[in-house]
């Protein structure tokens, strides 16, 4: 005897992982779409007239998100403008293929698309970074750089908010990871449906309470065009172990995913616990709890041939940096780089590594497009890294190098060093 749908008494074709209800295809579509609409409305995620950038990777989550945002915007008249925003990390055989899927989605959903690359922003691709760092900590670089790249791309598009495809499984995994790491600061905010409200751009998660299995089922039954290959550099990612744990728990108790999220939402921090204070990076203007943000420290390490400088226990790398600075005769090299703040302060005054420049410290890595900051004393590359010549060493200095006429770097378009609250972008 076939199982009947719990809603309409037609023959059921699936059992919802989230609730255990047996449903027919049409009733599953309705329940799935209405729950997401309910999440958007109840959490007040969208405001009429806003421009929303949908983080599009070509995977199942972002593809279903783009389809759903388009569908619900038309059905319920949210009155928002939607654009697709993709980040090209420079992973040959993975991201180049997934971006082809995104380009097809652009045509299918009739939405504008902007692609921004690591190479454009930082002068590095993930392929090049992996050659330097190996496969153990490469996901740390990618996560930090990708987070910044999304924000910078969104600023270029002048959007009001970013919508990401993080689902319930992702958030539950993040809760577990932060518990295991003892990261109270991130644990406190990782379950928030909207983050970054006190920064340049808010981010929202319409799929916060949506199970990954149901997203896959929806994409399958709707025949959506998405890219399903895992990143070739992620088999050893820390998140993978948290994901395996969540899947094992879900087999025993399907509601465990939502229960973990609710537990994270209910956590409170004692008043005497010192929380990190969010500020702005002195070098690139991005939000940071240190004087110099993690991305700038990591990028400095790559440019100086010390790729592990910003990862984990970096005392050995800092010692190498101290030795390097001592060899260059830097007066501040005698002081130990004991924390991220002193590391950033020391790095912020170092000569550049641009090929052909008269600065003392050179490497094979260089960035070709530079910009002068407001003070006129320093040169910065596309990611805000200092490329300055110091002292009497001015002959042949890259400070005299300027972009080609009419050419603007990403950070110039973002006006990242301007003090205005909202950047003015001139294309």
């Amino acid at each position: 005897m076939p199982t009947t749908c719990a809603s309409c008494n037609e023959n059921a074709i699936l059992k919802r992982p989230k609730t255990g209800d047996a449903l027919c295809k049409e009733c599953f579509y309705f329940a799935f779409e209405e729950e997401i609409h309910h999440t958007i409305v109840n959490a007040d995620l969208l405001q009429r007239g806003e421009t929303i950038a949908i983080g599009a990777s070509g995977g199942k989550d972002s593809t279903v998100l783009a389809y759903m945002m388009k569908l619900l915007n038309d059905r319920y008249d949210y009155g928002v403008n939607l654009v697709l925003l993709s980040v090209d990390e420079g992973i040959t055989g993975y991201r180049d293929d997934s971006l082809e899927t995104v380009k097809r989605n652009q045509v299918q959903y009739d939405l504008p698309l902007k692609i921004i690359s690591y190479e454009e922003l930082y002068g590095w691709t993930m392929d090049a970074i992996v050659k330097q760092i190996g496969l153990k900590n490469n996901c740390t670089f990618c996560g930090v750089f990708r987070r910044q790249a999304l924000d910078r791309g969104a600023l270029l598009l002048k959007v009001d908010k970013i919508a990401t495809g993080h689902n319930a499984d992702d958030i539950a995994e993040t809760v577990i990871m932060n518990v295991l790491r003892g990261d109270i600061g991130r644990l406190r905010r990782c379950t928030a449906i909207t983050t970054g409200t006190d920064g340049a751009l808010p981010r929202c998660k319409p799929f916060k309470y949506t199970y990954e299995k149901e997203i896959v089922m929806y994409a399958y039954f709707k025949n959506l065009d998405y890219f399903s290959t895992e990143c070739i550099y992620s088999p050893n990612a820390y998140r993978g172990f948290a994901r395996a744990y969540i899947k094992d728990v879900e087999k025993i108790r399907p509601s465990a995913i939502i229960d973990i999220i609710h537990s994270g939402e209910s956590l409170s921090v004692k008043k005497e616990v010192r929380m990190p204070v969010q500020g702005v990076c002195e070098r690139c203007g991005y939000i940071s709890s240190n004087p110099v943000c993690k991305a700038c420290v990591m990028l400095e390490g790559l440019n100086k041939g010390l790729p592990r400088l910003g990862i984990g226990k970096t005392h050995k790398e800092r010692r190498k940096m101290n030795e390097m600075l001592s060899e260059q005769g830097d007066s501040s090299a005698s002081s130990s780089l004991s924390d991220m703040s002193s590391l950033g302060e020391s790095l912020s005054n170092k000569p550049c590594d641009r090929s052909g420049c008269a600065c003392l410290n050179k490497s094979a890595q260089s960035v070709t497009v530079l910009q002068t900051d407001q003070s006129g004393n320093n040169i910065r590359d596309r990611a805000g890294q200092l490329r300055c010549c110091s002292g009497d060493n001015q002959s042949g200095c890259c400070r005299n190098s300027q972009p080609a006429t009419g050419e603007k770097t990403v950070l110039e378009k973002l006006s990242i060093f301007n003090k205005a609250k909202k950047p003015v972008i001139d294309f």
Side-chain angles (χ1 to χ4, degrees):
M1 182 104 180
T3 304
T4 58
C5 174
S7 297
C8 68
N9 294 323
E10 295 290 333
N11 289 339
I13 64 167
L14 60 90
K15 181 179 179 181
R16 286 194 70 185
K18 185 176 182 178
T19 62
D21 294 335
L23 296 175
C24 68
K25 188 185 295 186
E26 294 302 320
C27 288
F28 170 65
Y29 293 161
F30 178 79
F32 185 85
E33 293 162 4
E34 287 302 303
E35 284 183 5
I36 295 170
H37 169 63
H38 183 266
T39 299
I40 291 173
V41 172
N42 275 19
D44 200 23
L45 298 185
L46 308 177
Q47 303 295 325
R48 182 172 292 277
E50 285 184 332
T51 299
I52 310 296
I54 301 171
S57 65
K60 63 185 185 314
D61 297 319
S62 63
T63 300
V64 174
L65 177 64
Y67 177 86
M68 192 63 58
M69 293 287 283
K70 171 80 171 175
L71 177 71
L72 297 179
N73 190 38
D74 293 340
R75 179 185 296 174
Y76 294 106
D77 189 26
Y78 293 153
V80 297
N81 302 309
L82 302 175
V83 298
L84 299 177
L85 175 60
S86 294
V87 176
D88 181 4
E89 300 95 341
I91 304 175
T92 305
Y94 169 69
R95 183 55 70 202
D96 46 0
D97 292 338
S98 70
L99 287 176
E100 293 302 315
T101 304
V102 175
K103 292 172 184 176
R104 293 195 297 271
N105 292 158
Q106 175 194 10
V107 176
Q108 293 160 358
Y109 307 148
D110 191 25
L111 295 174
L113 169 64
K114 170 70 176 177
I115 300 175
I116 194 162
S117 69
Y118 281 10
E119 189 169 20
E120 180 185 4
L121 280 173
Y122 309 117
W124 287 81
T125 64
M126 276 307 299
D127 287 341
I129 291 173
V130 169
K131 287 181 181 178
Q132 294 285 325
I133 194 68
L135 290 172
K136 187 175 180 180
N137 294 294
N138 55 293
C139 289
T140 303
F141 277 87
C142 193
V144 172
F145 287 166
R146 183 178 176 81
R147 196 174 302 115
Q148 271 208 28
L150 269 177
D151 281 346
R152 296 193 189 283
L155 286 171
L156 282 173
L157 292 172
K158 302 181 182 180
V159 303
D160 301 292
K161 197 172 293 179
I162 302 172
T164 62
H166 292 96
N167 56 50
D169 298 55
D170 296 328
I171 297 172
E173 291 163 12
T174 305
V175 172
I176 296 298
M177 289 168 64
N178 288 330
V179 168
L180 295 177
R181 286 189 299 219
D183 194 333
I184 304 236
R186 287 190 176 92
L187 184 59
R188 190 176 190 180
R189 63 178 183 267
C190 69
T191 57
I193 195 167
T194 301
T195 56
T197 52
D198 52 349
L201 276 174
R203 292 190 184 196
C204 63
K205 309 183 192 81
F207 287 171
K208 178 182 176 181
Y209 300 111
T210 306
Y211 276 33
E212 182 179 47
K213 288 181 179 178
E214 296 197 354
I215 292 174
V216 173
M217 292 167 69
Y218 188 88
Y220 173 77
F221 286 119
K222 284 284 188 179
N223 291 316
L224 299 183
D225 184 6
Y226 67 93
F227 185 76
S228 57
T229 303
E230 289 291 329
C231 177
I232 60 176
Y233 294 143
S234 67
N236 298 319
Y238 183 45
R239 180 174 289 275
F241 300 101
R243 180 177 295 118
Y245 168 73
I246 292 293
K247 296 304 180 189
D248 289 341
V249 172
E250 185 187 9
K251 293 175 185 176
I252 303 169
R253 182 185 173 90
S255 65
I257 293 174
I258 293 295
D259 293 340
I260 291 172
I261 294 175
H262 288 326
S263 297
E265 291 172 337
S266 302
L267 287 174
S268 59
V269 181
K270 293 181 179 179
K271 293 181 179 179
E272 58 267 25
V273 175
R274 185 178 178 182
M275 301 296 291
V277 178
Q278 182 173 290
V280 175
C281 176
E282 296 173 354
R283 305 183 69 180
C284 70
Y286 192 71
I287 55 173
S288 173
S289 56
N290 291 300
V292 179
C293 71
K294 191 78 168 176
C296 283
V297 175
M298 287 180 166
L299 195 54
E300 186 75 29
L302 289 170
N303 291 335
K304 302 297 184 187
L306 300 171
R308 302 183 65 85
L309 188 64
I311 297 178
K313 297 178 180 179
T314 57
H315 56 282
K316 292 183 179 179
E317 303 302 316
R318 291 173 184 169
R319 186 163 59 247
K320 290 179 184 177
M321 177 63 78
N322 272 328
E323 293 171 358
M324 181 187 298
L325 300 183
S326 298
E327 290 174 1
Q328 294 172 7
D330 188 277
S331 60
S332 64
S334 58
S335 61
S336 175
L337 301 179
S338 58
D339 55 27
M340 193 69 73
S341 300
S342 59
L343 174 64
E345 289 169 2
S346 180
L347 294 181
S348 65
N349 295 313
K350 300 283 85 58
C352 81
D353 55 6
R354 178 168 162 75
S355 60
C357 179
C359 290
L360 296 175
N361 184 31
K362 300 181 178 68
S363 75
Q365 310 297 339
S366 64
V367 180
T368 57
V369 181
L370 308 172
Q371 93 158 56
T372 306
D373 70 3
Q374 281 189 320
S375 66
N377 295 325
N378 299 312
I379 296 291
R380 299 178 185 259
D381 66 16
R382 299 171 196 171
Q385 291 290 310
L386 287 173
R387 296 288 185 271
C388 62
C389 298
S390 56
D392 297 327
N393 190 27
Q394 300 294 324
S395 176
C397 176
C398 63
R399 182 178 296 150
N400 300 320
S401 301
Q402 296 297 331
T405 304
E407 182 181 1
K408 290 189 176 183
T409 66
V410 171
L411 289 184
E412 283 177 322
K413 292 180 181 180
L414 292 178
S415 301
I416 199 70
F417 301 107
N418 293 338
K419 301 300 181 182
K421 291 184 179 180
K422 287 195 175 182
V424 178
I425 305 170
D426 180 18
F427 286 95

